[in-house]
Structures are given as C-alpha cells and as structure tokens.
Amino acid sequence: MLRGILSGILILLWLAGASFGGPLFGKVSEVSSNERTAYLPDSAPATEVQNALDGFLGSDTLPAVVVFESDAEIDDALQQQLTEALEDATAAEGVQEDVSPVLVSEDSLAAQAFVPIDADADISDVSTALSADLNESMPDGVTVHITGPAGFTADLVAGFAGIDGILLLVALLAVLVILVIVYRSLLLPVVVLSTSLFALCVALLVVWWAAKFDILLLSGQTQGILFILVIGAATDYSLLMVARFREELRNVDDKWTALRRAWLGSFEPILASGGTVIAGLLCLLLSDLKSNSTLGPVASIGIVFAMLAALTLLPALLGLFGRAAFWPKRPEFDPQHAADENPLHDPGIWPRLARLIRRRPRLIWITTTVVLAIAALGVTQLQATGVAQSDLVLGASEARDGQQVLGEHFPGGSGSPVYVLVDEAQLEDAADVLLSNDGIDAVSVTASDSPSGTAVITEDGVQPLGPPGTPAPEPTVVDGQVLLQATLADAADSPAAEQTVNDLRAELDPMGALVGGVTATSIDTNTASIHDRNLIIPVILVVILLILMLLLRAILAPVLLILTTVLSFGSALGVAALLFNGVFDFPGADPAVPLYGFVFLVALGIDYNIFLMTRVREESTRHGTREGILRGLSVTGGVITSAGLVLAATFAALSVIPILFLVQIAFIVAFGVLLDTFVVRSLLVPALSYDIGRAIWWPSRLSRAEQPRAASDAKSENPSPDGAEARNVEV
C-alpha cells in the first residue's frame, strides 16, 4: 500500500510540473533571440561596435532594405508613387520614423529604401506585414523584396517557427511508432512516451524562466536541440529500465520486487550515461561563443530531468500497471528461467551474433575497424569554414531573393554597412583607408544634425548638404569617438566582403579603430567557433575518459571505448562530408557543426557503450570476461538497438526545420548513432574486448583473477571434440 501511495505522489508531482511547463510551448520566442551579435564574446570587435551603436544611432534598431524592381524605367512619377506607398506601409507599429528616401539605381530599373525596425519588436511579423502592405499597393510590373539584416532575421525566425509544432509532432510520432514495433504493446509505448514528454515539459519550465530572468541565453537553435535531446535521452533511459523490469518479472513473482531489482540494476548505467552527457555538455561553457556556452547548461538541464523522469516517474507508472503494462504479451513468472538462465542459449539475432563473435573475434574487429577508417577519410572533404548568411535558410527566402536583386542594381553591400568606430582625431585617416579600398563603394559618417543622420565623405572631406556655401554637418561624437559607415561593393555575406573587412581591420588596427557590422559579425563568429572546436573537443575526450575509468574501475577498457567512439564519429563525419558535397550540394558548413556533432555523438554514443560494458562487467564477475562479454551483448542487444533507433529518429526529426545547421546536425547525429549502434557497439567493441580477454579490465582486480565459468556452460558452448573452443576459457 505504501509503495502504491508513493507512486501516486510521484505521478502527481510530475503532472503538476508538466501542467506549468506545457503551456510554455509556443511562448519560447518571448524569451529567446536569434540575433547573431548577441552570442558573440563580449571582447569581439563586432560586439564592441554593436554595443556602441545606440549612442550614435539613437535607438536599438535592425535595418530592413526594401528593394523595388521594375520591368520599366522608374521615372519621377513612379518614384513618387513608391515613396507614398512606403510612407503608408511604414506607419505600422514596430517601424521607426527614420525611413530613408527611395533611391533609384543608375539603370533606373530598381529602387531601394532603408527602413529601421525596432529590435524589440517581432521582426518576422513586422517584416511580413511590411512586405504584404507594399505588394498590395504596387503598380503592375513592380515587385518588392524585404532584405538586409531584418529580412534575414525574419527568415530565420520563420524557419524556427515549426519547432513548437511540427518538430515536436514528428519527433513524438517517430518515437511512438518505434516503441509500438519494439514492444508490440498498446499501453507501454504511451507510458514511455509520457515519461519523455513530462521530462520535456518540466525542463522547458526551468529553462524558460531562466531565460526570462536573463540567466540563460536561448535561441531557436538551442530550443530545437533541447526538445530533441530530452525526448531521445528520456526514451533511451526508459527503454533500459523497462527491459530490466521485464527481465526481472520473469525471475520473481512480485511486481514490486521486480521493480526494485530493475531500478537498482538500471540506476548506475542511467546515472553514468546521463552524467557523461552532462559532463560533455558542460564543457561547452569553455566556449567563447555564447551560442555554444549557453547550450551546455540548457541541454544539461534537459538531461537532468530526463534522468529524473526515467528513475522516478517511469518506475511509478510501471509499479501502478505492473505486468498489465506489457499487454497483450505479458512477461510471466518462470522459476525455471531464473534457475537456468543463459541468454546465449536463447533464439534471436543477438545470441547468434554473440556466438559468431566467439568464433571469429579478431576477423570481426579488424574488418570493422578498416571499414570505419576508410569512411573517416571523407573528413578531409568537410567544408566547415562558414556559410553565407543568405544560405542559412533552406528553401525559399525573400531576403535571399532581395539580396540578389540588390546586387544586380546597387552595390552588393547596400543595407549592411561596415561600421568603423574610431577616435575623433583619427577620422580623416580612417576615412582615407576606407576610400582607398576597392571593396568599399561609399563612405559616410554619422551626423545627428544631418537630415539623413549621416554625411557623405569623399576625398575632399565631409560634404555639405544643400546649395554651395552650406556648412557641412558635424560628425556625432560619443566618448571622443565617431562612427563611420562604409557601403561594401560586394554582398555583405560574400567571401569578397569578408576579405575587404579583414584588410580594413589590418590597416585600421594601428589607429585603434574597431570594425563591426554584419560581415564583421560573421568573421568573429567563425573565428570564435573554430577556437571553441579546437579547445573543447580534446577537453570532452579527457572528461569522458576519466568518468569511464571511475565507472568501469579500469584504464584499458575506457581508452578503447573512447577510441572506438572517436573512430565512429570520424566515419559519420566523413560520410556526411561526401554526401553534403556530392548529393545534397550544400554550400558548406558552419565551423560549429563538427563540434556539435562531436558533443552529441561522443557524449550520447558513449551511452550505449556504458549500457553494454556495465552489464558486461556485472556478468564478468560471475562468469568470466569472455563469457560476460557474450552474455552482456545477448542481454542488452535488443534494448540498446531500440534506444539507438529512437535517438536517431528524434535527431532526424530536426531536418524538418529548414535551417542548414540543424539539417546537417540531424544527418550527422542520426547516421552516427545508427553506425555506433549497429557496427561499433554490436561488432567492434564486443569482438575487440573478447579478443583481449580479461586484460580489458586492467589494472583492476578483475583483470588478474576471475571466477571460472560453470562446467555446463563450457560444455554446451564448446562441443568440439578437440576442445578448440575450450582453450579460450579463462580460469
């Protein structure tokens, strides 16, 4: 009775937490930001310039570039019509007053205007409304595009819009289908899926309020990964618990006794697996890039609640339903099974695979190693040096189309200026550097007393506005500094523009000038991302290695597990690189793609080795190492494979979000998990461990003295008259 009451209390507590967290789905955008500058290190030049802009421009805005393209030449009458339409459309909420005049291109076939949008407004809604209003009022033959920083931000927001809906629905549906196939039950998949969903709701509750109080930074990218990670991890931990519970129900008649044994048998591997993932994720705190460093604690919170749900809510539900949870195929108590249990004698693919490994261990591990190493050679083809902002969103993009039109009729960098923050005394020298660069089309300086807010700078200095004799506007000075704005001749996200900014930084650095803007932000992001990748990957390896040594109480086994997991990651990345270039024709990859792929594949992939090797160690203490390896593989094969399928399916669901980064991560992790599940954990690790024998546990006592196998086992497994197989028995 007491255990039933405790189970009811646990279920009610989780239900209460989920009832508060559930309504927050669809509201994450209220506490998240997709502005790339917000995630740069505080010391990055682009960040320092961005922080100084408010003092010069007067408000926190994001510029939108409205591009008009006409089939016929734009004369004065049409220009006036475009101006009136723009004035009407920009009267909407979220648009600032300082809208620029409509400027006609030299070929008179296009026009542009700069519209400042309040950065605190919903950029996507404002951009969509602006586009709709303008298109309704356009005469025949004129099309409108919204591009520039605001346009690309709106595309990103729209791309992430499906996270709360279609992503979650696809992930849950994929998991449900797999669970139904695995369990061939109606109730148990619902129990397991409810555990994962409740864990996600409570994790979201904590993360949402942490972001609300600015404790954590949250983006659409982080949100999507959190959803997938919690569902996948909670389901994996639940699969392990359910498998152990079903196994114990065959050994004991009382469901509570079976549940207690299952909980004790699952606690260590679940805690070790979750702890390993959390340790790997928290290594991201070393990142200079805030989009990486903030993912660590956000995802770790999700893993904590995934573990808690699997160790509290799921046992409570299993205790409530007992054997009925497995209906219609209930596990029955079988005293003979408990007395004569030897999984190697059972039918099925995993006992057969274990017997195959016993016969040909060396051939199996050498063959799989060679195949994986060949696949890993494709890593050399991975183009993870960054992608243009216009390529971040897959599929249709109004901002990308507008940028293309803009580049055909205006300087490519229109609407995305290079900002140069320099001391007032260095204004002329800095302007000379900008004007002398072939990648710069025009230069101006921020001037609050100018009607347009800026004053044009030429080789003759700051130019006056109005008739001859009109005094030139005075540059705005803030803390002894002025702000120059330079229009790039090339698109702001092009390699040519990046080269221009790098050249400018090299020439302006002796003056103490800082260079910012869209292009500089992209450069600083890639630089920080590469730094993070080179620093964090080795740290994660060392941390996980230490955890495995403590868990397995050995040195050799953890080292081999790490090496096999890294080989699996290299193979997955190599295959992904070849497919990204030759099949999907992706424009490249963000430098963070290998880092994220490594974190998830190594931290999560090591889970399956933990599930396997903790059971192998348990069996080895009773039956010897080689026997324990075969028994462990036979017992855990089904549940670990199911867990791998679930995790691969959940990460694959990320591909429904049309963001290049997430699609690439989805493929790498999904393919890598399947590779790790069906090749590394099923073939390479067991065969290699079997070939090495008890030395795998070096330097622990288990490597020096083992309990001999039962004679009945040796006889049944070594029927050959010459005793060839028996020679492998350790005593």
Side-chain angles (χ1 to χ4, degrees), residues 576-644:
L578 296 176
L579 292 177
F580 289 171
N581 298 336
V583 177
F584 302 125
D585 196 26
F586 288 150
D590 190 277
V593 165
L595 174 62
Y596 277 49
F598 182 85
V599 170
F600 296 130
L601 277 181
V602 173
L604 294 173
I606 210 73
D607 274 4
Y608 303 132
N609 284 327
I610 289 175
F611 290 168
L612 171 65
M613 294 306 286
T614 51
R615 186 58 181 261
V616 165
R617 196 178 196 285
E618 179 183 333
E619 297 290 342
S620 296
T621 57
R622 297 196 298 263
H623 304 287
T625 295
R626 287 196 168 100
E627 175 75 3
I629 291 168
L630 302 182
R631 284 173 175 260
L633 176 61
S634 300
V635 172
T636 63
V639 62
I640 295 178
T641 301
S642 301

Side-chain angles (χ1 to χ4, degrees), residues 257-387:
T257 302
L259 184 61
R260 180 178 62 83
R261 290 184 177 182
W263 193 90
L264 291 174
S266 303
F267 176 78
E268 184 180 30
I270 289 177
L271 189 64
S273 299
T276 303
V277 176
I278 290 173
L281 289 169
L282 290 181
C283 289
L284 291 173
L285 289 172
L286 299 173
S287 171
D288 280 344
L289 205 59
K290 294 178 184 177
S291 57
N292 294 340
S293 62
T294 193
L295 174 65
V298 169
S300 296
I301 290 170
I303 295 296
V304 167
F305 285 105
M307 288 193 299
L308 287 175
L311 292 172
T312 58
L313 176 59
L314 180 62
L317 292 171
L318 292 177
L320 178 65
F321 292 109
R323 285 181 167 83
F326 297 88
W327 183 88
K329 197 174 181 179
R330 302 186 184 189
E332 300 297 336
F333 172 52
D334 183 1
Q336 190 64 29
H337 174 270
D340 302 333
E341 179 185 8
N342 188 341
L344 293 176
H345 297 163
D346 294 340
I349 185 174
W350 299 108
R352 288 200 297 270
L353 182 60
R355 294 192 290 268
L356 175 63
I357 289 174
R358 183 177 59 198
R359 292 193 298 270
R360 297 286 186 271
R362 190 163 299 174
L363 176 63
I364 291 174
W365 76 258
I366 290 177
T367 301
T368 52
T369 299
V370 170
V371 172
L372 292 172
I374 292 174
L377 294 176
V379 170
T380 58
Q381 303 302 310
L382 184 66
Q383 302 171 11
T385 56
V387 294

